[in-house]
Amino acid sequence: MSAPLFKYGLFGDEISLIVAFVIGIGFGFFLERAGLGSARKLTAQFYLTDLSVFKVMFTAIVTAMLGLFYLSWAGWVDISLVYLSPTYLLPQLAGGLLLGLGFVIGGYCPGTSVVAVSTGALDAWLYLAGVMAGIFVFGEMFSSIGPFFYATDMGSLTIPDLIHLPYGVVVLGVVLLALGGFAGAGWVERLFAPPSRES
Amino acid sequence: MSSSSPALTAVATDEADTTRPAAYMNPYLAGVGLGLVLLAAFVVMGRGLGASGAFTSLTAIAVEAVAPEHTRANEFYAGYLERGVGHPLKTWLLFEVLGVLVGGFLSGALAGRVGRRIEKGPRAALGTRLALAFAGGALMGYGAKLARGCTSGQALSGGAVLNVGSWAFMLMVFAGAYALAWFVRRQWT
Amino acid sequence: MKRPFSYHPTMNQLLAGGALLLGALAVFGSPYRGPVARVNLRELARDVGVEADHVTAEQLADWILQQRADYRLLDLRDEAAWSEYHIPGAELVPMAKLIDYPLLRNETIVLYSDGGIHAAQGWFLLEAAGHKSVALLLGGLNAWKDEILFPVLAEDASAEQRAAFERARFVSEHFGGTPSVSGGTLETDRTPTPLPKTDMPVAPATPRARKRKAKEGC
């Protein structure tokens, strides 16, 4: 009945920073465990030789989605207090496209590049410098890009609300999608497995 | 986790990494671990994970140090400078990213994967790789701000709460990356 | 494979099976809380007691002037009253629709009605529904009219009061009101002043309005 703990005032802003640090440790740990601190492993995703990124990400999404669903169903978590960032469809589609291009060019995404830095990848430093340069360009362009940035505002919108299906049905749909995707991923990996091993 | 289990041998997707000190974890188990961390963030904080926001704070602070007037007049920077517990550096995401740095190192050190290196494909030239690392980062920094989040904040966190924008974003990330992959294949394969 | 004793599923099959089972079960549940509420009465009483639930007209005017976008302003009166006049940025939400109106539980919500009784009743409904930050406009729209739109300066006001009135005059004019100087008591010689048009360009409903909500994003 009283989670999210922070939103029910169980601790304050200062403590929340310590929580952030601890949660970050878990985040970084599992990213590295999965190999997502390596640009080669990350980009192998896009050459279909190793779909770990897809597997890790979708498993994490399914796990957190199921956990949140059941904790809310049981009444322990108030799901409406969990932050749902508003949807701005067009800028998010465009931003996603840019991110995808940058991903395969740069080899990391912002989170994984931090892991790469922590384990000694020097290129990840340059990548991060690039990220900040990109943010700087965005910031300087903000007044002109503003109208597009705020275009197609759909508010805080979930897929169940969009397609008018019960939340649980969409949860099942995502699980099935993920399991189908995993089966497909295994098949694709066997298909595109490199004939010879290179280190 | 339980690497002695016969189950894991069947899913060893990491044959290519046999030269590495330790094999990576079963991606599904790592995914469950990551998912539980994300769930913990939902339950404890009522919010998801993130990364690019931390670098936006750093950028805004850096720009403010150079041109304070200009920065405060900019709605975008000003929004980030207003954040934080008493100081724009004391934001949730920045502390989370510090944790990522520690957690990543911890896991890497335990597996013997820490060491100076530059990640690139065998055919890639060093200079090109470094230039592209910067260029790719810049594209991603720009894109992440346009999309209001990166793979952690939008795809992962938003995906788990079935956020429409996050799923649309995620599709486009994969579409963009696959569309361009062939053109930069010399960098990675 | 048929008999459970000879079947040893791999880790991945176990995970997949678990996910499938939980996914299938999810069809029968909902993560949202229904219209039946459990209320922590002591907590409510304490909030009322410390007046944590009040926003004065002056505070609200400041918020609007600052173009703050981290709150929702709900007008609980009927449509006729709303179209005659409403506070800039307010959303029309008739009382009966309040509970089903799309609001996030962690948004700051400011309620107002003419006097304040409806707002107070709406406050209780939203608190019971689990909203964490609901506030009343103190004195309702009547207070808004008296203090913000039509502030009156007594003729025998002190210098301090006059200085404060300059600010009130500015605010009033911003909202299209009519500040006035009274000869005697505040109420008697008050001529009926026209209410400002409601679609005047105050605190434009710009895209800015959602800016702060992105706070917890990546």
Side-chain angles (χ1 to χ4, degrees):
Chain A
M1 190 62 203
S2 52
L5 306 179
F6 179 66
K7 300 252 161 115
Y8 277 86
L10 260 75
F11 53 89
D13 286 337
E14 297 278 348
I15 304 290
S16 82
L17 297 181
I18 300 170
V19 173
F21 184 69
V22 174
I23 285 178
I25 291 177
F27 188 25
F29 185 87
F30 282 109
L31 284 179
E32 208 289 333
R33 281 284 107 167
L36 269 51
S38 158
R40 293 202 61 196
K41 178 114 175 152
L42 286 164
T43 51
Q45 166 78 36
F46 304 119
Y47 300 96
L48 303 176
T49 50
D50 177 352
L51 298 182
S52 291
V53 177
F54 170 78
K55 294 177 190 169
V56 173
M57 249 184 78
F58 253 72
T59 310
I61 288 175
V62 166
T63 305
M65 174 188 72
L66 285 173
L68 188 63
F69 180 87
Y70 279 96
L71 289 178
S72 306
W73 188 3
W76 292 338
V77 175
D78 185 348
I79 198 170
S80 64
L81 285 176
V82 174
Y83 180 68
L84 188 66
S85 80
T87 292
Y88 291 81
L89 195 59
L90 276 181
Q92 284 182 322
L93 289 173
L97 189 68
L98 286 179
L99 221 87
L101 302 179
F103 201 162
V104 72
I105 293 174
Y108 300 101
C109 58
T112 52
S113 73
V114 177
V115 176
V117 160
S118 77
T119 56
L122 301 175
D123 49 329
W125 284 99
L126 270 167
Y127 172 88
L128 276 180
V131 168
M132 291 179 62
I135 293 171
F136 173 70
V137 172
F138 182 85
E140 295 303 313
M141 282 174 65
F142 191 74
S143 53
S144 55
I145 196 120
F148 180 65
F149 183 65
Y150 290 118
T152 53
D153 176 5
M154 297 167 77
S156 293
L157 185 64
T158 61
I159 296 174
D161 285 339
L162 180 74
I163 59 179
H164 301 296
L165 278 179
Y167 203 98
V169 173
V170 177
V171 165
L172 176 62
V174 171
V175 169
L176 292 178
L177 194 72
L179 292 180
F182 296 152
W187 179 76
V188 165
E189 278 174 349
R190 282 191 293 278
L191 206 66
F192 285 84
S196 63
R197 286 179 193 174
E198 52 192 9
S199 97
Chain B
M1 245 181 243
S2 67
S3 55
S4 61
S5 152
L8 288 187
T9 55
V11 289
T13 52
D14 305 317
E15 302 99 321
D17 294 302
T18 41
T19 54
R20 299 233 169 209
Y24 291 123
M25 196 173 175
N26 173 347
Y28 299 115
L29 279 181
V32 169
L34 201 59
L36 291 178
V37 172
L38 178 56
L39 182 61
F42 287 150
V43 172
V44 178
M45 290 301 303
R47 57 168 298 159
L49 304 167
S52 63
F55 297 103
T56 316
S57 291
L58 289 180
T59 308
I61 291 164
V63 179
E64 199 208 11
V66 178
E69 298 296 316
H70 165 77
T71 313
R72 279 187 216 108
N74 182 318
E75 187 191 324
F76 173 72
Y77 292 134
Y80 277 87
L81 291 174
E82 280 168 19
R83 295 188 186 187
V85 187
H87 189 281
L89 270 179
K90 288 172 75 178
T91 63
W92 200 88
L93 282 175
L94 214 59
F95 275 69
E96 184 231 71
V97 163
L98 283 179
V100 171
L101 211 55
V102 173
F105 178 79
L106 215 67
S107 166
L110 284 174
R113 282 193 288 259
V114 176
R116 280 194 185 191
R117 65 182 193 282
I118 286 170
E119 295 261 350
K120 64 180 189 63
R123 292 188 286 169
L126 189 64
T128 322
R129 164 66 193 132
L130 291 180
L132 286 183
F134 183 85
L139 269 176
M140 276 190 117
Y142 193 93
K145 286 304 105 185
L146 195 56
R148 298 169 167 78
C150 57
T151 26
S152 333
Q154 278 293 356
L156 200 59
S157 308
V161 292
L162 303 179
N163 189 339
V164 171
S166 303
W167 282 82
F169 165 86
M170 208 177 338
L171 281 178
M172 289 309 279
V173 172
F174 280 103
Y178 278 106
L180 195 69
W182 189 80
F183 298 97
V184 291
R185 63 191 184 283
R186 283 177 195 284
Q187 291 303 310
W188 302 114
T189 59
Chain C
M1 291 286 276
K2 295 270 164 59
R3 287 182 303 143
F5 294 107
S6 62
Y7 178 50
H8 298 286
T10 66
M11 173 64 77
N12 289 357
Q13 285 167 337
L14 278 176
L15 289 175
L20 200 58
L21 188 70
L22 289 174
L25 255 175
V27 171
F28 302 102
S30 165
Y32 297 117
R33 294 178 180 181
V36 179
R38 288 176 62 89
V39 181
N40 186 333
L41 297 173
R42 285 197 185 82
E43 205 173 83
L44 278 192
R46 196 185 57 218
D47 283 355
V48 174
V50 299
E51 305 195 338
D53 54 339
H54 291 175
V55 171
T56 64
E58 205 174 329
Q59 275 172 325
L60 182 61
D62 277 347
W63 290 5
I64 297 171
L65 283 173
Q66 292 163 11
Q67 302 200 3
R68 272 180 61 167
D70 52 354
Y71 67 96
R72 303 271 293 267
L73 181 60
L74 307 188
D75 186 327
L76 299 179
R77 301 169 307 149
D78 59 20
E79 201 173 339
W82 190 80
S83 41
E84 190 195 345
Y85 178 76
H86 57 261
I87 299 176
E91 303 163 57
L92 171 67
V93 188
M95 199 65 173
K97 296 184 181 155
L98 182 59
I99 279 304
D100 295 316
Y101 195 70
L103 297 165
L104 296 175
R105 296 283 200 311
N106 53 346
E107 279 177 311
T108 296
I109 298 160
V110 180
L111 302 173
Y112 75 83
S113 51
D114 274 323
I117 291 175
H118 262 137
Q121 290 165 333
W123 180 90
F124 183 83
L125 284 180
L126 290 183
E127 285 280 332
H131 290 271
K132 290 290 119 194
S133 178
V134 191
L136 303 172
L137 175 61
L138 202 59
L141 197 60
N142 295 341
W144 174 265
K145 287 178 184 165
D146 290 345
E147 293 166 28
I148 304 300
L149 291 182
F150 309 117
V152 179
L153 181 69
E155 221 168 40
D156 55 348
S158 67
E160 264 171 41
Q161 283 171 322
R162 276 172 202 284
F165 188 72
E166 278 315 299
R167 162 80 183 156
R169 181 200 299 279
F170 166 78
V171 172
S172 166
E173 279 166 2
H174 178 88
F175 287 105
T178 321
S180 57
V181 179
S182 128
T185 54
L186 300 184
E187 301 298 332
T188 46
D189 63 345
R190 175 105 154 260
T191 48
T193 3
L195 283 164
K197 283 210 186 319
T198 49
D199 50 346
M200 57 183 177
V202 177
T206 56
R208 274 183 74 105
R210 282 192 174 269
K211 188 190 76 176
R212 306 235 178 161
K213 289 194 181 167
K215 223 176 171 178
E216 294 175 66
C218 168

